[in-house]
Amino acid sequence: MNKLLLFISVGLFSIVTAHGQKKPVDYVNPFIGTAKMGHTYPGATVPFGAIQLSPETDTLSYVFNGKYNKDVYRYCAGYQYDDPTIVGFSHTHFSGTGHSDLGDFLIMPTVGTLQLNPGTADRPGSGYRSRYSHQHEKASPNYYQVYLSDYGINAELTATERVGVHRYTFPKSDQSHLIVDLMAGIYNYPEKNVWTVVRVVNDTLITGYRQTNGWARTRTVYFAMSLSKPFKSYGSATPEKETVYKGFWRKFNQRNNFPDLASANLKLYFDFDTEDQEQIIVKLAVSPVSQKNALENLQQEAAPYSFDQLWNSGRDKWSKELEKINIETISEDDKVNFYTSLYHTFLGPTLYMDHNREYKGLDQDVHRAQGFTNYTTFSLWDTYRALHPFFNIVQPQRNADMVSSMMQHYNQSVLGMLPIWSHYANDNWCMSGYHSVSVIADAILKGTYKGDAEQALEACVRTSQRRDFEGIGAYTDLGYIPAESNSNSVSSTLEYAYDDWCIAQLAKKIGKDDIYQTYIKRSQNWKNVFDSTIGFMRPKDAMGNFVANFDVLDTHGQGFIEGNSWNYSLFIPHDPMSLVRIYGGDKKFITHLDSLFEMHLPDEFFENTEDITREGIIGNYVHGNEPSHHVAYLYNYAGAPHKTQKRVRDIIQRMYRPTPDGLGGNDDCGQMSAWYLFGALGFYPLSPGATTYDIGSPVVKRAVIHLDNGRKFEIVAHNQGAQNVFVKQVMLNGKKIDNWKIDHQDIMNGGKLEYFMTAKRK
Amino acid sequence: MNKLLLFISVGLFSIVTAHGQKKPVDYVNPFIGTAKMGHTYPGATVPFGAIQLSPETDTLSYVFNGKYNKDVYRYCAGYQYDDPTIVGFSHTHFSGTGHSDLGDFLIMPTVGTLQLNPGTADRPGSGYRSRYSHQHEKASPNYYQVYLSDYGINAELTATERVGVHRYTFPKSDQSHLIVDLMAGIYNYPEKNVWTVVRVVNDTLITGYRQTNGWARTRTVYFAMSLSKPFKSYGSATPEKETVYKGFWRKFNQRNNFPDLASANLKLYFDFDTEDQEQIIVKLAVSPVSQKNALENLQQEAAPYSFDQLWNSGRDKWSKELEKINIETISEDDKVNFYTSLYHTFLGPTLYMDHNREYKGLDQDVHRAQGFTNYTTFSLWDTYRALHPFFNIVQPQRNADMVSSMMQHYNQSVLGMLPIWSHYANDNWCMSGYHSVSVIADAILKGTYKGDAEQALEACVRTSQRRDFEGIGAYTDLGYIPAESNSNSVSSTLEYAYDDWCIAQLAKKIGKDDIYQTYIKRSQNWKNVFDSTIGFMRPKDAMGNFVANFDVLDTHGQGFIEGNSWNYSLFIPHDPMSLVRIYGGDKKFITHLDSLFEMHLPDEFFENTEDITREGIIGNYVHGNEPSHHVAYLYNYAGAPHKTQKRVRDIIQRMYRPTPDGLGGNDDCGQMSAWYLFGALGFYPLSPGATTYDIGSPVVKRAVIHLDNGRKFEIVAHNQGAQNVFVKQVMLNGKKIDNWKIDHQDIMNGGKLEYFMTAKRK
């Protein structure tokens, strides 16, 4: 146990700083969300880094017996906190998604008889996986450690932007191995690996690439991997039928110590003699472009530095980002929640560009990012709501670069479309709407994106004109999507209407009145699917008749996605006053909203709602999915801000807990966390594209946002307390606010926002 | 029939020049070798061009019912003269190989009901293929024309270095189509296509790429294709199970008019309305690097020019190359044979570099060719013998660039090896030996390659030390390859011995005496497999015992490849005097050689000899394969030059005829043709790496070689005639030659070589 204690003390060392005072980075708990539905990963990464080096607790096939394997959903981020074994450590992960991919280049250190298959969790020893215990596992920003008890190996992970760094402490053995499983992957299936190339350049350097066809249709990741200790031998394995052993290559024995390998599927292993406590450092760089670029990334970022140097450097990067907001809170847990949320929001979009600025474009050609940093992983249906608006405050340069990345995506798109879900030189077309336009309009209206606004508007307009995408053609012609032509006919109609309002705002901003007129009109299209006889949004057929057999609580087959009519009927973020009106005025609308939060949703409906647990639902309000994220703030528009305040605090309390299973749904690339952060600071962007924020109820006692422009925006919640959830009064720079709104410019100017809290509703 | 006559007259126009006088280019008949075993293609190409745009008469699968399909062998170059139908026109072909690949981007114009499968030759109308007739078909350098009688379409092809240009003359139809079959390929099989991407950029521009796993393990060809007329509609097809229609891409109807396609297998079609005699020009550029580069190639080379301009420009390039040697001959047929052979020798190696000098390296990364032109398609086992030596005379700059290309291949090789068979950023490892060293030593000793000779020597040495390649380890340790370890144990031992001699010559040339000593010793290793008790080379086991049950006439399972012991026992090109000695002196050796040419090889052995027809054999001398290519010249070393002279003329007469079936074996990337050219000029490089040539018997009456250094080397055969095959005397610059040899420098200095011919042996 001595060795084990040593590992633990090393791990702990970083948590307590020299002065013993906890800094923001010390409050981050990467395990939050790793159990059940959060789909976060606990591994090592730097802010917005291309590497997410993290353990996999299983790598199931997306397809099982020819059918979709429901179990795979649990492994969107590779790791499930309740699992008993670890399969290995791979370099790329999405954070919080509800569908998945990646898991590139899985490495597992083992000792003893060589095993090249992972085996199963219920049969320890059946493969290369190992048991582990949470008692001997740690995670903090840019550091992950676990003791692999089947092998007596301590595994530590850290990362740079483009390099994953592994430190494995082996026992004494003449059968120590590193398995590099290039067949493993998240949401894997038998034909997912399209082609794999490996070159063992010398006994400490391996390069190659892997091309996959998954959620991303055509995705290639190149790598360059260095070993701190020369291997003594190595080998490869591939399924029997694979071509690696065919052709005139059969002249060589490609299984053992052969450096030039290629096949659809490939696994490698490297053998070592290790002394007791001997450490082997693996540094694996990725590139979207070439092995050469991966090698350059490796050399520039990681080769000259020790594990500890890289760990500290990455931790410093986290500190720098996390310290953009200093807070005082009622409880330490609030700080954990806050800084972990901040951490989660800074996990993506992720860098997609080599050290030499080259990246692979949507057109599958190589481009050089001129004047911007290229990003990928835009889960826009989720993140347009709060994540990108949050970036406009705390990451304006990055958000501007993200808009530039979207614009390049558009330029490279043969469909003439901005990204729907930008995924490693692909669009995976996940979810609905064309919400890039929201991010772009918001960034331009808030002064974040300073690129060519006319070009941006053109991109938005052209995207909204792609008739063969999700009913846009019919939407353009009829003002709504007919039920028979699309299974999301109502939710897409509502989302397009909002998106069109964003286009209108952008057009207005740059004086394109004709476009403004067209799109402001389209933004009213929500009216075409509102059935006033029942008071809900409802699918309509091409003849203009609302469909029969309609259930306002069900989602599936009812014209909606990730939300039923109850939730989606409130989705007119750009025109909340109309919403109040169609529901019969303030009082009726308040009652309606209250019903949402307080009704009982029968299990049969819950079971059909994607991506959330029972815990992710309050009444019929589904926080675990995004369409209702603005809903709590709607009370403000019906003269009941105290209800907004109470609901926000309730949601925060129930949906964000500082435990592995503490998230009420998928974190969705930071959207859920960004919602929390706005909530905790006391305001929310109800309708991105508008520059205003709606006042809620802060969680913090005090917060200082250190803006990139050098100014500070201070938030003070006087008389803050767990019960003091109501805001008596709000003052901006000493001046009372009456309309429960502040403007983006108020924040960017720097200043002070004061909330006067009370336990009794105002 | 009027239309047809019009096509024919257009086709004929180019054959007769303005002055009515035939030029070298007019003598080339690209159909020679297209029937049976020649494996040449009749299509359009420029000298050493990356595009070989040529018809396929069938595209069979390499695998049929799970087994090797012998029929596929006939289609190494895509076209078989005796076939009744044409399947389409693809852009890349090997010339004369005995195994194959390529056939990229097959295009077929059709009219009427859309058919996306080729159908079968025995059932016209069963697919998109069409019947045709040789009466309505033409081929000349950089031009091919055929009338597709099933559709009434006249097809014409021409090319630039990197662009294939099609001119299709359609009948009037509202159902005219271009099929672009990206699943088609030469030596195809069900899993050969790894991945295909297509982007329909607009109604006249399509880009994409196709990645295959065939003879080349990892090969990607990018393309950019322009249409002279906008299509009216288009569509795609893919096997049912393919992923193109899976994932969230299912939101789109990808079958019709959808521009963003990717799948393992993909076919496209484009629809047009055509008027009677309307022409559609297709220009398809290839690139080893990217769609962007393919587009640049298209724009730089072909976009601004008409079909006729490009045809003429390519024809002029051919004229320039072919006019490097002017000849006078006894018959017009000799000119056809000569210039067609010259044409065939200039078909490869082929350009492998974009207009911007980028190319894909053996390491699968992109490189830029600095200071040289990069080439691929090095069938070195064949071409080191005569093709590259021939280039040292007539294409020295290109041969130097080819050596540079080999050196880059070496630099990019993780195995540390020069190419065995360089194949589009791959080595396909076909055949034996490490004959790059011969080409390199020859080019350096003859002053052609002016790069770093020490580096070149290091590459040669390191290649010869790759112990796991084809028995090199055992060869190094024992001085021969044991029979049990390699099926080519004897032929490889002999080839290594010769190659080692080449390394020794290079080492000597640059004063590396230790390397010289090592390798000159290794060059004697042929002695280790010579069984003096039977007078033949014979496999030996690891214990040093010659194997029992040995048949000197058989090839298979006897330790040889593409040649039996009779032929291979004469393979000591670097030490012919020893050969004479071990066969017991001049007289016995002459008898032995005569036996080779005059014995009867029973059918059972012929049937087991690869790559040749019965016609490719004279007695037991196999000209259709390469190992005996030097044999006719061995008489010179036994005091019987008249026998060399007679044999050479005999071989030329029997193996090179001006007809489609006129070649006695695969042309093997120009090696057979280069053998002819040396033969026809009257000398031959018995042992490349030596600067001398052995005198044979010329076919020409007169020849002038216009050397790149501005000098002329004139060859005159006095008293030349069909029967006058013996050379009484040879004079160089008026000085009698006694040793039946000239030196490379004699040629490069310019001057005059005179043969005095006679019908009686000297």
Side-chain angles (χ1 to χ4, degrees), chain A residues 351-369:
Chain A
L351 182 68
Y352 194 60
M353 173 178 103
D354 287 320
H355 200 267
N356 66 5
R357 311 196 73 77
E358 285 182 346
Y359 68 97
K360 189 162 283 180
L362 186 71
D363 55 6
Q364 296 293 315
D365 267 350
V366 175
H367 299 262
R368 193 175 290 267

Side-chain angles (χ1 to χ4, degrees), chain A residues 42 66 93 127-128 134 141 170 186 219 239 257 271 388 417 454 457 471 533 573 585 593 596 640 722-723 740 762:
Chain A
H93 295 83
Y128 58 66
H134 294 305
F170 281 89
I186 296 173
R219 190 178 75 95
N257 301 303
D271 306 318
H388 290 284
M417 289 184 78
E454 286 201 27
L457 177 62
T533 64
L593 287 180
L596 176 73
Q723 309 308 317
W740 300 99
K762 183 191 167 196

Side-chain angles (χ1 to χ4, degrees), chain A residues 195 199-200 211 213 215 217-218 243 248 251 290-292 363 365-366 412 414 428-429 431 470, chain B residues 195 199-200 211 213 215 218 243 248 251 260 290-292 363 365-366 412 414 428-429 431 470:
Chain A
W195 202 246
R199 292 161 47 83
V200 183
Q211 180 180 342
N213 165 235
W215 199 13
R217 194 172 59 176
T218 305
T243 47
F248 296 117
K251 291 182 177 183
S290 65
Q291 298 163 85
K292 193 166 51 177
D363 55 6
D365 267 350
V366 175
Q412 294 151 6
V414 76
N428 67 34
W429 303 113
M431 298 306 292
E470 291 267 46
Chain B
W195 202 247
R199 293 162 46 82
V200 183
Q211 180 180 341
N213 165 236
W215 199 14
T218 306
T243 47
F248 295 118
K251 292 180 177 183
D260 199 353
S290 64
Q291 299 163 85
K292 193 166 51 178
D363 55 6
D365 267 351
V366 175
Q412 293 151 8
V414 76
N428 67 34
W429 304 112
M431 299 305 292
E470 290 265 47

